[in-house]
Amino acid sequence: MNGDAVLVTALVAIALLVPAVPAGSGAQAVVDVHSGGLSARSPGDVELPDARVSGEPVTVRGPVGPFRVADTRSPPSGWTLVVTAPPPADARGRSIGAPLVVEATRVPVGGLGTVPGSPGALGTPRAILAAPPGAGAGLTEVEIEVSLTVPGDAASGVYDTVLVATIS
Protein backbone atom coordinates (compact mmCIF):
# COMPACT_ATOMS: atom_id res chain seq x y z
CA MET A 1 0.00 0.00 0.00
CA ASN A 2 1.23 3.47 -0.74
CA GLY A 3 -0.76 5.11 2.07
CA ASP A 4 -3.13 7.05 -0.20
CA ALA A 5 -6.77 7.14 0.86
CA VAL A 6 -9.59 6.96 -1.66
CA LEU A 7 -12.92 8.56 -0.79
CA VAL A 8 -15.91 6.36 -1.47
CA THR A 9 -17.17 8.82 -4.04
CA ALA A 10 -13.93 8.60 -6.01
CA LEU A 11 -13.72 6.36 -9.04
CA VAL A 12 -10.60 4.44 -9.97
CA ALA A 13 -10.54 3.92 -13.70
CA ILE A 14 -8.93 1.06 -15.56
CA ALA A 15 -7.01 2.48 -18.48
CA LEU A 16 -7.36 0.63 -21.75
CA LEU A 17 -4.75 1.78 -24.21
CA VAL A 18 -5.50 0.66 -27.77
CA PRO A 19 -2.96 1.77 -30.35
CA ALA A 20 -4.27 2.91 -33.73
CA VAL A 21 -3.69 0.38 -36.52
CA PRO A 22 -3.76 1.57 -40.14
CA ALA A 23 -6.52 -0.10 -42.18
CA GLY A 24 -5.34 -2.92 -44.43
CA SER A 25 -1.85 -3.09 -42.97
CA GLY A 26 -2.31 -6.58 -41.54
CA ALA A 27 -0.98 -5.49 -38.16
CA GLN A 28 -2.45 -6.90 -34.98
CA ALA A 29 -4.34 -4.75 -32.53
CA VAL A 30 -2.71 -4.79 -29.12
CA VAL A 31 -4.50 -3.86 -25.92
CA ASP A 32 -2.36 -2.82 -23.00
CA VAL A 33 -4.60 -3.17 -19.95
CA HIS A 34 -3.44 -1.35 -16.86
CA SER A 35 -5.56 -3.05 -14.27
CA GLY A 36 -5.24 -2.99 -10.58
CA GLY A 37 -7.41 -0.58 -8.74
CA LEU A 38 -9.01 -0.17 -5.38
CA SER A 39 -12.38 1.52 -5.24
CA ALA A 40 -15.43 1.71 -3.03
CA ARG A 41 -19.04 2.75 -3.36
CA SER A 42 -21.31 3.88 -0.55
CA PRO A 43 -25.00 3.12 -0.14
CA GLY A 44 -27.66 5.65 -0.98
CA ASP A 45 -29.68 7.56 1.61
CA VAL A 46 -30.67 5.58 4.69
CA GLU A 47 -33.52 6.26 7.08
CA LEU A 48 -33.66 5.00 10.63
CA PRO A 49 -37.06 4.29 12.17
CA ASP A 50 -38.93 7.21 13.75
CA ALA A 51 -38.17 7.87 17.42
CA ARG A 52 -41.02 8.85 19.73
CA VAL A 53 -39.66 10.40 22.90
CA SER A 54 -41.57 11.22 26.09
CA GLY A 55 -38.94 12.07 28.66
CA GLU A 56 -36.84 8.89 28.43
CA PRO A 57 -34.07 8.15 25.92
CA VAL A 58 -35.13 5.97 22.96
CA THR A 59 -32.74 3.88 20.88
CA VAL A 60 -33.47 3.31 17.20
CA ARG A 61 -31.59 0.81 15.02
CA GLY A 62 -31.28 0.12 11.33
CA PRO A 63 -29.04 -1.29 8.61
CA VAL A 64 -26.72 0.86 6.50
CA GLY A 65 -25.34 -0.54 3.31
CA PRO A 66 -24.18 -2.22 1.43
CA PHE A 67 -20.82 -0.55 1.04
CA ARG A 68 -19.04 -2.12 -1.95
CA VAL A 69 -15.27 -2.52 -2.22
CA ALA A 70 -13.63 -3.62 -5.49
CA ASP A 71 -9.99 -4.67 -5.37
CA THR A 72 -8.62 -5.61 -8.79
CA ARG A 73 -4.96 -5.26 -7.87
CA SER A 74 -2.72 -8.22 -8.48
CA PRO A 75 -1.76 -9.41 -5.99
CA PRO A 76 -4.23 -7.83 -3.57
CA SER A 77 -2.21 -5.87 -1.02
CA GLY A 78 -4.89 -5.34 1.61
CA TRP A 79 -7.20 -2.47 2.47
CA THR A 80 -9.24 -0.94 5.28
CA LEU A 81 -12.71 0.57 4.92
CA VAL A 82 -13.27 3.34 7.49
CA VAL A 83 -16.53 5.20 8.23
CA THR A 84 -17.13 8.34 10.28
CA ALA A 85 -20.16 10.56 10.92
CA PRO A 86 -20.80 13.57 13.14
CA PRO A 87 -23.80 13.41 15.49
CA PRO A 88 -27.04 14.03 13.57
CA ALA A 89 -28.33 17.62 13.49
CA ASP A 90 -31.63 19.22 12.54
CA ALA A 91 -32.19 21.80 9.78
CA ARG A 92 -31.15 24.59 12.15
CA GLY A 93 -27.86 22.86 12.90
CA ARG A 94 -28.85 21.75 16.43
CA SER A 95 -27.08 18.51 17.23
CA ILE A 96 -29.06 15.67 18.74
CA GLY A 97 -26.06 15.23 21.05
CA ALA A 98 -25.56 11.54 20.43
CA PRO A 99 -23.40 9.76 17.86
CA LEU A 100 -24.38 6.99 15.49
CA VAL A 101 -22.98 3.73 16.84
CA VAL A 102 -21.97 0.67 14.83
CA GLU A 103 -23.62 -2.31 16.51
CA ALA A 104 -22.58 -5.07 14.10
CA THR A 105 -20.88 -5.69 10.76
CA ARG A 106 -22.21 -8.21 8.21
CA VAL A 107 -20.31 -9.31 5.11
CA PRO A 108 -22.95 -10.82 2.79
CA VAL A 109 -20.91 -11.02 -0.45
CA GLY A 110 -17.25 -11.77 -1.01
CA GLY A 111 -15.08 -10.98 1.91
CA LEU A 112 -12.95 -14.12 1.91
CA GLY A 113 -10.25 -13.48 4.49
CA THR A 114 -11.61 -10.08 5.54
CA VAL A 115 -11.87 -8.98 9.17
CA PRO A 116 -15.01 -7.16 10.40
CA GLY A 117 -14.58 -4.03 12.48
CA SER A 118 -15.60 -3.74 16.11
CA PRO A 119 -18.71 -1.97 17.43
CA GLY A 120 -18.41 1.65 18.51
CA ALA A 121 -19.32 5.28 17.93
CA LEU A 122 -18.84 6.86 14.50
CA GLY A 123 -17.92 10.24 15.98
CA THR A 124 -14.33 9.25 15.23
CA PRO A 125 -13.21 7.20 12.22
CA ARG A 126 -14.02 3.51 12.70
CA ALA A 127 -12.82 0.60 10.57
CA ILE A 128 -15.84 -1.46 9.53
CA LEU A 129 -13.94 -4.01 7.42
CA ALA A 130 -10.32 -4.78 6.63
CA ALA A 131 -8.54 -7.13 4.27
CA PRO A 132 -4.98 -8.15 5.13
CA PRO A 133 -2.46 -8.49 2.29
CA GLY A 134 -3.54 -11.34 0.00
CA ALA A 135 -7.24 -11.09 0.97
CA GLY A 136 -10.19 -9.00 -0.17
CA ALA A 137 -9.69 -9.48 -3.92
CA GLY A 138 -12.66 -8.93 -6.22
CA LEU A 139 -15.95 -7.50 -4.99
CA THR A 140 -16.78 -7.38 -1.29
CA GLU A 141 -19.99 -6.00 0.17
CA VAL A 142 -20.45 -5.04 3.79
CA GLU A 143 -23.46 -3.81 5.71
CA ILE A 144 -23.40 -2.27 9.18
CA GLU A 145 -26.14 -2.14 11.78
CA VAL A 146 -26.22 1.28 13.45
CA SER A 147 -28.05 2.64 16.44
CA LEU A 148 -28.80 6.11 17.72
CA THR A 149 -29.90 6.85 21.27
CA VAL A 150 -32.21 9.86 21.10
CA PRO A 151 -32.28 11.89 24.33
CA GLY A 152 -35.67 12.01 26.06
CA ASP A 153 -35.79 15.80 25.75
CA ALA A 154 -34.89 15.98 22.02
CA ALA A 155 -36.90 18.52 20.04
CA SER A 156 -39.20 17.20 17.31
CA GLY A 157 -37.72 17.32 13.85
CA VAL A 158 -35.70 15.50 11.26
CA TYR A 159 -32.05 14.97 12.16
CA ASP A 160 -29.49 13.91 9.62
CA THR A 161 -25.80 13.27 9.27
CA VAL A 162 -23.41 12.34 6.50
CA LEU A 163 -21.47 9.10 6.68
CA VAL A 164 -18.06 9.53 5.12
CA ALA A 165 -16.29 6.35 4.08
CA THR A 166 -12.70 6.06 2.95
CA ILE A 167 -10.68 3.12 1.77
CA SER A 168 -6.94 2.86 1.90
Side-chain angles (χ1 to χ4, degrees):
M1 296 288 309
N2 61 11
D4 292 338
V6 178
L7 288 176
V8 168
T9 55
L11 297 176
V12 177
I14 296 175
L16 295 177
L17 305 176
V18 182
V21 178
S25 70
Q28 293 181 338
V30 177
V31 178
D32 186 3
V33 178
H34 297 274
S35 63
L38 178 62
S39 64
R41 192 171 69 187
S42 64
D45 292 343
V46 176
E47 282 190 40
L48 294 176
D50 290 346
R52 302 203 185 281
V53 293
S54 57
E56 296 295 321
V58 174
T59 301
V60 293
R61 290 179 171 76
V64 177
F67 294 89
R68 292 183 176 94
V69 176
D71 188 355
T72 59
R73 299 170 297 173
S74 181
S77 50
W79 47 262
T80 302
L81 182 61
V82 175
V83 177
T84 187
D90 66 9
R92 294 182 182 168
R94 293 179 298 194
S95 172
I96 202 162
L100 282 178
V101 175
V102 175
E103 297 288 334
T105 301
R106 292 187 294 279
V107 185
V109 175
L112 185 60
T114 59
V115 180
S118 59
L122 289 174
T124 58
R126 174 157 304 279
I128 61 171
L129 192 65
L139 178 66
T140 303
E141 291 185 354
V142 60
E143 185 174 276
I144 56 176
E145 179 83 17
V146 297
S147 67
L148 176 66
T149 300
V150 180
D153 61 351
S156 294
V158 175
Y159 293 79
D160 62 21
T161 187
V162 175
L163 276 81
V164 176
T166 56
I167 189 162
S168 60

